[in-house]
Amino acid sequence: MVVGDVTTGTDVLIIGAGPAGYVAAIRAGQLDLDVTLVEKEAYGGTCLNHGCIPSKALITATNVAHEARHAEEMGIHADPAIDLTGMMGWKDDVVSQLTGGVEKLCKANGVNLLEGTARFVDENTVRVSHGGDGQGSETLEFEHAIIATGSRPISIPDFSFDDPPILNSRQALALESVPDSMAIVGAGYIGMELATVFAKLGTDVTVIEMLESILPGYDDDLKRPVKKRANDLGVDFHFGYTASEWYEPDGGVRLVAEPVDDVASDGGAESAEAVESERLELDVEKILVAVGREPVSDTLDLENVGAETDERGFIETDSRARTNVDNVFAVGDVAGEPMLAHKGSMEGQVAAEVIAGEPAAIDYQAMPAVVFTEPEIATVGMTETEAEEAGLEPVVGQFPFRASGRALTTGESDGFVKIVADEDQGYVLGASIVGPEASELIAELGLAIELGATLEDVASTVHAHPTLSESVMEAAENALGHAIHTLNR
């Protein structure tokens, strides 16, 4: 112990105040545990401050401008001017309101908030270093610890985020001016969401992807409308390339990309795009690297507590969020895929309840995933292929949004609702949606899976007209063979 060091104690130490950590802290406080939440930067973590919330705010704002600019068929003629400073200010106000709310909720539930960076000393002790000159550090003893340190953008060789032309997603969401042109390295969900945002702001966007299609892991029929809409917005794609270097000729920025020898496929032959074979050079103003995220587990001195990680740095846990160390838990992105805020929040609640002696466990069966592209994609539960691999005999029902009166009145009728069920018993096993408000519609199907509902349950539930949610009902009816507003399979 250093001179002047202060030692305090707590029942539950939580490291990281993102959606996993702050939810764990609030739930533990509700269960009458003494809780200390350590955060080194901002309450709400990456999601509220630099990811989910600011990106969706900008998606909404750019959608408003784009829809107004392209509403001629509705008899509306407009050419809105975009004030990026004002847009970013509004986005920041949304973020501040939410992060301030997190801090107030933590305090209201008796959570002790501590700013700093925590490192393990042993299985019952951490040292918390406070930022700034003369701020020092303190020792904190705990009975249980919950690691919720989240994730960070993955960098690629020779593309440092410290170089002004090179951006990660956090930096892209804080730009003070709209770039004339941008190359986006990576066509995953972050790359595709931001490609849409900047294309609508007027940026000339080019996406480079080492695989043969966008959005790895999603079925072809879900990706197809997204790719088409991106093309309509002017986004160019180059598949089968990896970014190799960049330099600044005559004051500009030139990106060099090399073709990949063996382009990996993430789906069937139908998913393949035209893959090029020539060296690619692009002159752009900014380069956004969006090749994924990695866990923040290397800042914790985990060797001092004995918690194990896998080869990628994710902390391994069981169904109750416990690591291999009895009193140490891990939740959220740092605990592995899927790296979703709502998944982290659920794990945070489970960890708090397990520590309090509750019979809680994690169930990923009805875990939704959403991509906020245009149109949106949302999935939950099993796909048809996964159901077959599990030894089930699936039946599939589908309803196109072009047959939905409500979708047509919004001007957004691309896409469909697809339901997968067990043919024998009729239980809903999974669903996928691409189209307007997919992120909202998927909740009904997640609930159906959670409750063990059948196709008959969904089809016989009266849905208000005219609404997008009728498409869910119609998809269930289609699987049963008696849909009204589309041809039955």
Side-chain angles (χ1 to χ4, degrees):
M1 187 179 300
V2 300
V3 176
D5 187 44
V6 176
T7 301
T8 56
T10 187
D11 291 340
V12 183
L13 164 71
I14 301 172
I15 306 173
Y22 82 72
V23 169
I26 291 172
R27 186 68 184 115
Q30 292 172 346
L31 294 167
D32 295 325
L33 295 169
D34 180 73
V35 186
T36 299
L37 176 60
V38 179
E39 170 56 47
K40 69 176 183 178
E41 186 176 358
Y43 298 108
T46 295
C47 178
L48 267 66
N49 291 277
H50 313 295
C52 313
I53 298 303
S55 65
K56 276 50 183 186
L58 293 184
I59 287 171
T60 299
T62 53
N63 283 349
V64 170
H66 181 76
E67 289 167 6
R69 190 177 290 123
H70 296 84
E72 291 88 352
E73 66 180 29
M74 296 182 181
I76 299 170
H77 299 269
D79 187 16
I82 293 177
D83 172 12
L84 187 63
T85 300
M87 186 182 291
M88 290 295 187
W90 171 73
K91 176 260 294 181
D92 292 341
D93 287 344
V94 172
V95 170
S96 295
Q97 181 177 342
L98 290 172
T99 55
V102 167
E103 186 172 356
K104 289 178 182 177
L105 284 169
C106 286
K107 291 179 178 178
N109 283 278
V111 177
N112 304 304
L113 301 178
L114 188 61
E115 294 184 11
T117 301
R119 293 179 179 272
F120 286 101
V121 176
D122 56 40
E123 61 186 23
N124 290 106
T125 313
V126 294
R127 287 188 59 77
V128 179
S129 301
H130 305 295
D133 294 337
Q135 296 298 309
S137 62
E138 61 185 281
T139 299
L140 190 63
E141 296 177 347
F142 59 86
E143 293 186 16
H144 298 87
I146 301 175
I147 301 169
T149 44
S151 63
R152 62 191 168 216
I154 294 174
S155 60
I156 57 179
D158 301 320
F159 287 77
S160 171
F161 297 133
D162 293 330
D163 293 322
I166 312 302
L167 306 173
N168 57 34
S169 56
R170 173 175 177 172
Q171 293 165 327
L173 292 169
L175 286 173
E176 297 179 353
S177 61
V178 179
D180 290 332
S181 57
M182 175 183 289
I184 299 179
V185 182
Y189 76 94
I190 295 174
M192 290 304 300
E193 288 180 2
L194 292 180
T196 302
V197 166
F198 283 101
K200 289 181 177 179
L201 287 172
T203 301
D204 183 7
V205 177
T206 301
V207 176
I208 297 169
E209 170 57 50
M210 68 182 299
L211 301 179
E212 64 179 4
S213 66
I214 66 171
L215 299 173
Y218 285 90
D219 289 344
D220 297 330
D221 54 355
L222 297 175
K223 298 189 285 192
R224 198 174 298 114
V226 175
K227 172 68 161 45
K228 179 182 182 301
R229 191 70 62 88
N231 285 143
D232 291 343
L233 290 170
V235 178
D236 290 327
F237 291 90
H238 295 278
F239 295 100
Y241 277 100
T242 181
S244 58
E245 63 175 310
W246 69 277
Y247 57 98
E248 298 180 279
D250 302 324
V253 179
R254 180 164 296 169
L255 171 66
V256 179
E258 301 289 347
V260 179
D261 291 335
D262 296 311
V263 181
S265 170
D266 71 309
E270 196 177 353
S271 71
E273 301 284 351
V275 176
E276 301 163 70
S277 59
E278 300 295 327
R279 175 185 170 100
L280 181 67
E281 295 190 7
L282 295 172
D283 291 320
V284 294
E285 185 177 338
K286 296 289 185 181
I287 300 171
L288 168 61
V289 177
V291 294
R293 298 181 66 84
E294 62 185 4
V296 179
S297 59
D298 56 349
T299 63
L300 295 162
D301 290 346
L302 288 175
E303 64 277 8
N304 292 335
V305 72
E308 297 176 354
T309 63
D310 66 13
E311 66 279 359
R312 297 173 60 192
F314 290 109
I315 300 175
E316 299 179 337
T317 59
D318 64 12
S319 64
R320 305 189 77 189
R322 297 174 298 195
T323 70
N324 60 297
V325 181
D326 289 342
N327 65 323
V328 178
F329 297 68
V331 297
D333 285 4
V334 76
E337 303 281 1
M339 298 168 78
L340 302 168
H342 47 277
K343 170 256 195 185
S345 294
M346 178 195 70
E347 291 174 339
Q349 290 194 58
V350 168
E353 290 168 2
V354 170
I355 290 170
E358 301 287 333
I362 299 165
D363 181 6
Y364 296 107
Q365 181 182 17
M367 182 65 64
V370 178
V371 185
F372 289 87
T373 45
E374 185 177 331
E376 294 179 352
I377 293 176
T379 61
V380 68
M382 293 182 175
T383 63
E384 182 178 7
T385 300
E386 289 170 341
E388 291 172 346
E389 291 173 349
L392 301 170
E393 295 185 7
V395 60
V396 177
Q398 188 165 315
F399 185 79
F401 282 114
R402 66 175 179 274
S404 163
R406 183 64 184 124
L408 290 169
T409 64
T410 68
E412 296 291 337
S413 57
D414 288 342
F416 55 85
V417 176
K418 181 193 291 185
I419 294 181
V420 179
D422 173 50
E423 187 172 28
D424 182 36
Q425 300 294 326
Y427 293 117
V428 177
L429 302 173
S432 55
I433 305 174
V434 57
E437 303 296 340
S439 57
E440 302 291 341
L441 296 175
I442 202 68
E444 176 180 353
L445 292 160
L447 181 62
I449 296 170
E450 184 69 25
L451 295 179
T454 65
L455 289 171
E456 196 70 52
D457 293 327
V458 177
S460 62
T461 299
V462 179
H463 290 63
H465 176 77
T467 61
L468 295 172
S469 65
E470 288 176 293
S471 301
V472 175
M473 176 186 69
E474 293 265 11
E477 290 176 338
N478 181 249
L480 293 167
H482 57 78
I484 302 299
H485 295 99
T486 190
L487 295 177
N488 291 292
R489 295 187 168 198

